[in-house]
Amino acid sequence: MTTRYSIKSANLQDLLLVDSQIPEFDGRNTLSKLHAKLAGREHLVLVAYIDNEPVAYKLGYGLDNNTFYSWLGAVLPKCRGMGIAQALLAAQEMWVKEHNYDAINVKSMNRFPAMLSLLIKNGYTIAGYEDRGNPHKSKIIFSKELASD
């Protein structure tokens, strides 16, 4: 049996309902932090729902007129492996193209191998590395140029 989910533009409160249940995260994302980061920027909040329960999200914003930054994303552990992260990534890419950005940038870490694999599988290339003194805390920078159709 396949579990059905829907993806919608959503609010930060639903995003935080998911974020607060992610064991890999430390609760550092608060409504005030998110509002401060997004203030004055074009942004996209996508949330995946199963039976009206938020189970995953993707959040990003425009860095400039050409580049969109995919900042945060997560899927509840009980919902992983269902294709939700792939669907969120595809929905985000579609929105980014529709809003005339040329590229998407994203950072991830070695401790998130599923995310690294998802990015590479979807045509993101390694564009840099932020050394934080430890391979598990350092960030790998990915970029994807979006073809204009």
Side-chain angles (χ1 to χ4, degrees):
M1 181 173 159
T2 303
T3 303
R4 297 180 72 46
Y5 55 85
S6 61
I7 295 174
K8 305 180 222 178
S9 289
N11 60 50
L12 293 173
Q13 288 82 359
D14 277 3
L15 179 153
L16 286 169
L17 285 173
V18 176
D19 192 87
S20 66
Q21 299 177 67
I22 301 299
E24 296 89 346
F25 293 176
D26 57 10
R28 69 182 169 262
N29 296 317
T30 63
L31 193 56
S32 60
K33 176 185 175 181
L34 298 180
H35 277 302
K37 187 72 159 181
L38 300 174
R41 298 178 191 250
E42 182 173 40
H43 61 276
L44 174 65
V45 180
L46 292 174
V47 175
Y49 298 87
I50 296 175
D51 296 328
N52 295 317
E53 176 194 350
V55 297
Y57 73 86
K58 199 133 182 75
L59 172 64
Y61 56 85
L63 283 174
D64 55 42
N65 290 336
N66 300 314
T67 307
F68 187 84
Y69 181 61
S70 182
W71 180 31
L72 296 170
V75 178
L76 292 181
K78 69 181 182 181
C79 298
R80 293 177 185 168
M82 297 170 53
I84 297 173
Q86 176 65 53
L88 283 165
L89 184 140
Q92 183 181 66
E93 284 186 8
M94 185 182 314
W95 184 93
V96 168
K97 284 181 187 178
E98 289 170 357
H99 286 79
N100 300 313
Y101 289 97
D102 298 324
I104 299 178
N105 290 353
V106 62
K107 297 176 187 175
S108 193
M109 300 178 178
N110 281 323
R111 64 188 179 115
F112 300 126
M115 183 64 179
L116 299 176
S117 177
L118 180 70
L119 291 169
I120 291 167
K121 181 179 102 177
N122 282 277
Y124 288 75
T125 57
I126 296 173
Y129 184 74
E130 288 180 5
D131 189 347
R132 298 197 170 175
N134 175 325
H136 296 290
K137 292 182 180 176
S138 297
K139 294 190 176 184
I140 303 163
I141 303 162
F142 290 85
S143 185
K144 181 175 183 177
E145 299 293 321
L146 301 172
S148 14
D149 300 327

